[in-house]
Amino acid sequence: MTNTVIRTNGSCINKLIKRLEKQIGKEEANKLKETAIEVVKNCVRVYSENFDFGDVGENSTGLVSKPYQGLNSIPNETTGLIYGRVQSGKTNTTIAALALAYENNFRCFIVLTSDNTWLGKQTASRFNNQIQDGPVIFDWEAWKKDPVDFAESKVIPYIKDTGVVLVTTKNVAHLKRLLIVLKTAKVKNFPTLIFDDEADNASLNTNEAKQSKQGKNAIPDSSTFEQIHSNIRQEIANHIYIQITATPQSLLLQKLSQPCKPQFCAALPEPGDSYMGGELFFSENSKHSVIIDAEEINQIKKQKGAINPGNKWIIPEGLRLALCFFFLGSIYKMLSSDDEDDTYSFLVHICYKQDIHTNLEKLISNFVINLDQAIREKSSQADYKQAIKWLEQAYKELQNTTDKLPQLNQLIDGLKIQLRRAIPTIINANNPDKEPNYNPGMNILIGGNRLGRGVTIKGLMVTYYGRDAKQKTVDTVHQHARMYGYRPQLKDVTRLFLAEHILEAFRSIHEADEAMRQAIGDDIHNIQIQPVWIGGDLKPTRANVLDPSVIGVLAPGKLVFPQSPAYKKQEIEDSFHKIESLLINYNDDEKYYEVSIDFIIKVISYTKNYYVPYEKWEDKRIIKGLKDLQAKGMDKGRLNVRRGIRNKRQGLDMPRKDPFKWGGFGFGSGEWLKEAQKKYPDVPTLIICYQKGEKNKGWDDHPIYLPMLVLPKQKFVLMFNYDES
């Protein structure tokens, strides 16, 4: 690996950091710069190793000296990953990395955004506003009418001088015109950096699963994938392609031959101290998550009209508490804020169906009206007492995380003025507004898919979440975590209301995310084989973007064992004696000894097994899985050594078999497996079988130890890609 030298300062990056210091603070801005340095160092290193030294980096030319002419259509190792966190400022990270890459003579920058015009415009605007004294920035509208003229009049004059940034949504028509621009301007002669925002969303081959069954000749690549990877990336071969996402499951599980498979991690940016993420909401005994009855979500979804019409007070208990909490929390913040135009938002996200959004709008509007009239004593005394009781419950919840809270009657006085302005707004395809129009004060937002990936909710305080697909995918559910983000001034009044089983799903995803980050952190330059931790009812990603023939699962509570153990005397003699010395004191065939995970790993490391395509056992993979168990706090397991009671512990006499002919119980009895599963379900159990290894049984007249591992019956599975080098 080369020692990469880059420029870490320059007018463009320095001006950007000064601007960011005013927006997010000096500490956060400097952290962004550190991440940008990491990204650019990795990009310059990978570019130099794959193409040539001196094109980019310190004292570089900014020109392609050796056009790529390799065997592969896209150069190996040129796909990298910026693995950010949901709502953690990944766009700022990208902008900072681009500004620093400009200082190191990358001359063309392509920024791919999701196929959403509003978000695309928002991204282009942010690049334009933040970057000064650097490359010239254009979006897809600039080359939409005449890409040839745009290339000749705008790109060619600037690319060698200042460089250019081309921002486009992942719309096929826009990408086709971008390709014309790149060809006309001969951008292939300039070092290029491609940033693909939400790369796991639209850039993958959505026909991958179909192709695995019917073949590529029968099923073409999906259109967006083809435009990016078969056309654009091949046209400008001397490039680095950086994927940006908080949910890389679908990327990490791609086949190694896929251009979407990240080969190196450009950065694992850590958010600042003011970031609110999974740890806040999904740690044990979190004060910022409130459990609601799952049945009330179903009640709302099933109801076609107003809930119990005629009774104005009937509203599901959890939703009522969430709203009352939001009202009081908003008033508390209004009383303590110097800015009368501050925004406070309540998000309801339970379903994508528009009729349910309409029903929710009526339900919440009705509650707001009745509560407003009750606290202003414009209805009955009974209504007033009921309203005060509900607000007292919300006040008590507010006290769990809020210091120096004003008296309840003071908050209610403020609520009497503000509550009638809390008018619910539906954000879905029927709404002509592509983004929420926020009012000063309280905002109640109801919606579905339009409130998904990439959308930031301004001033989000309270989330009422009930999106509950029968088959959840990790990356999709994780992208619904709108409650994540930077809102330090609202942390004490931030809440997530959800059913317990959905909380557990989010908790599993949070644990999965942390485990993946730890795994990648072991070696950010090599992420070819990485696990994905997911809960039992969760899949990592959409099935259509993966080849199912190369995806494997180490499932909870299951037995795994090698299909092709080495058995020749010369291959196993040395390691056999090492295992013998380790197991010398474990003499009871019926006993399951408590041992450390480290000890289990050591025993397995001395066994030798040949990998058979599509089998679950692969020595390094199994050891990696055990180490990940350790990382999750599981440091003990069980060891059962089977030498053969009937044979007076002289060894078992099972014949050697071909791969996948061993049967479901591996090298021994199903009773051993059942006992481990029954007595020790929460830890891994290594059952190691001492076989005589006789020649007439297909062995090599040398005893052998054969490993079988019973996985713990925990709330995760370990997924991997078979297509390993």
Side-chain angles (χ1 to χ4, degrees), residues 193-472:
L193 191 52
I194 303 174
F195 291 102
D196 190 345
D197 191 28
E198 307 293 1
D200 57 315
N201 183 23
S203 306
L204 295 172
N205 184 10
T206 55
N207 289 337
E208 182 72 32
K210 291 180 182 178
Q211 290 174 341
S212 70
K213 298 175 182 177
Q214 301 178 45
K216 275 190 171 266
N217 292 332
I219 304 293
D221 291 337
S222 57
S223 299
T224 304
F225 173 87
E226 180 183 27
Q227 291 304 319
I228 294 173
H229 300 285
S230 298
N231 295 337
I232 291 173
R233 291 188 68 185
Q234 292 182 36
E235 169 61 25
I236 50 171
N238 290 60
H239 73 273
I240 299 297
Y241 174 71
I242 298 298
Q243 301 167 316
I244 305 158
T245 186
T247 52
Q249 288 83 356
S250 58
L251 302 175
L252 295 172
L253 289 172
Q254 293 291 303
K255 293 185 292 187
L256 295 182
S257 58
Q258 274 285 16
C260 290
K261 174 79 172 182
Q263 302 295 317
F264 69 96
C265 188
L268 280 163
E270 284 300 314
D273 294 337
S274 59
Y275 175 72
M276 294 188 291
E279 191 65 28
L280 181 74
F281 298 102
F282 307 122
S283 59
E284 295 291 337
N285 303 316
S286 168
K287 293 182 179 180
H288 294 269
S289 292
V290 180
I291 300 298
I292 62 174
D293 187 347
E295 186 52 38
E296 79 174 47
I297 302 292
N298 295 328
Q299 183 186 13
I300 294 171
K301 289 180 179 179
K302 291 175 182 177
Q303 191 68 37
K304 297 301 181 184
I307 292 180
N308 288 337
N311 188 334
K312 61 185 179 182
W313 282 121
I314 296 301
I315 184 172
E317 182 179 349
L319 179 57
R320 184 187 69 219
L321 176 61
L323 286 165
C324 289
F325 178 92
F326 170 66
F327 298 148
L328 293 181
S330 297
I331 297 300
Y332 163 55
K333 287 301 175 182
M334 289 179 195
L335 292 175
S336 57
S337 174
D338 295 329
D339 190 346
E340 294 181 353
D341 293 330
D342 276 349
T343 295
Y344 311 99
S345 296
F346 179 99
L347 173 63
V348 184
H349 190 183
I350 69 169
C351 188
Y352 66 91
K353 293 182 178 179
Q354 294 172 2
D355 60 338
I356 292 176
H357 301 160
T358 302
N359 184 43
L360 266 168
E361 190 274 332
K362 292 178 181 177
L363 179 67
I364 294 173
S365 290
N366 189 56
F367 179 71
V368 171
I369 291 169
N370 292 324
L371 184 66
D372 171 56
Q373 291 176 344
I375 62 174
R376 290 189 296 112
E377 299 184 75
K378 298 295 184 179
S379 53
S380 70
Q381 186 65 19
D383 286 347
Y384 173 78
K385 289 181 178 179
Q386 183 66 82
I388 298 302
K389 180 180 178 181
W390 287 336
L391 290 170
E392 286 173 346
Q393 292 171 350
Y395 186 79
K396 186 176 181 181
E397 174 62 36
L398 199 57
Q399 287 177 311
N400 289 332
T401 52
T402 307
D403 296 326
K404 299 178 181 178
L405 193 63
Q407 294 295 315
L408 176 59
N409 58 3
Q410 187 178 350
L411 296 179
I412 292 175
D413 286 342
L415 198 57
K416 291 175 182 178
I417 300 169
Q418 296 290 337
L419 185 54
R420 73 199 72 170
R421 300 175 61 197
I423 302 171
T425 302
I426 296 175
I427 307 296
N428 62 24
N430 285 338
N431 191 316
D433 297 322
K434 293 183 177 179
E435 60 177 302
N437 287 320
Y438 298 96
N439 296 314
M442 294 184 282
N443 295 266
I444 300 174
L445 306 176
I446 303 165
N449 290 344
R450 190 166 278 182
L451 295 174
R453 183 185 288 266
V455 175
T456 299
I457 305 300
K458 186 178 179 181
L460 181 59
M461 276 177 48
V462 177
T463 303
Y464 181 86
Y465 187 89
R467 193 76 179 266
D468 190 20
K470 290 182 179 178
Q471 180 60 67
K472 302 177 185 69

Side-chain angles (χ1 to χ4, degrees), residues 637-674:
R638 293 282 165 169
L639 172 69
N640 178 229
V641 183
R642 293 284 174 171
R643 295 187 175 90
I645 295 175
R646 293 179 184 175
N647 296 336
K648 298 182 179 179
R649 300 182 64 254
Q650 297 304 304
L652 302 167
D653 50 14
M654 173 175 275
R656 190 176 66 84
K657 299 178 183 179
D658 291 332
F660 305 109
K661 300 292 185 182
W662 294 97
F665 301 123
F667 314 121
S669 165
E671 295 303 315
W672 308 345
L673 167 66
K674 291 176 184 177

Side-chain angles (χ1 to χ4, degrees), residues 3-16:
N3 182 19
T4 306
V5 179
I6 67 167
R7 291 188 66 191
T8 57
N9 288 294
S11 179
C12 184
I13 184 65
N14 292 345
K15 286 179 183 295
L16 172 66

Side-chain angles (χ1 to χ4, degrees), residues 9-67:
N9 288 294
S11 179
C12 184
I13 184 65
N14 292 345
K15 286 179 183 295
L16 172 66
I17 296 303
K18 283 187 177 180
R19 287 174 65 86
L20 290 173
E21 284 177 357
K22 296 176 182 177
Q23 296 169 15
I24 60 176
K26 192 169 185 176
E27 184 178 344
E28 295 294 330
N30 286 333
K31 186 173 287 190
L32 265 179
K33 185 177 180 181
E34 290 172 9
T35 300
I37 290 172
E38 183 182 1
V39 171
V40 175
K41 269 189 176 180
N42 280 313
C43 289
V44 170
R45 172 184 62 81
V46 173
Y47 181 99
S48 301
E49 291 173 352
N50 279 278
F51 305 119
D52 198 17
F53 292 88
D55 293 2
V56 293
E58 192 174 47
N59 302 320
S60 57
T61 64
L63 297 170
V64 169
S65 55
K66 292 182 180 178

Side-chain angles (χ1 to χ4, degrees), residues 107-133:
R107 275 298 168 262
C108 180
F109 303 92
I110 297 172
V111 180
L112 305 174
T113 75
S114 61
D115 189 11
N116 178 309
T117 302
W118 162 50
L119 287 175
K121 285 291 184 184
Q122 186 183 69
T123 300
S125 176
R126 289 182 66 179
F127 275 83
N128 241 323
N129 294 338
Q130 298 283 48
I131 292 180
Q132 298 178 358
D133 201 12

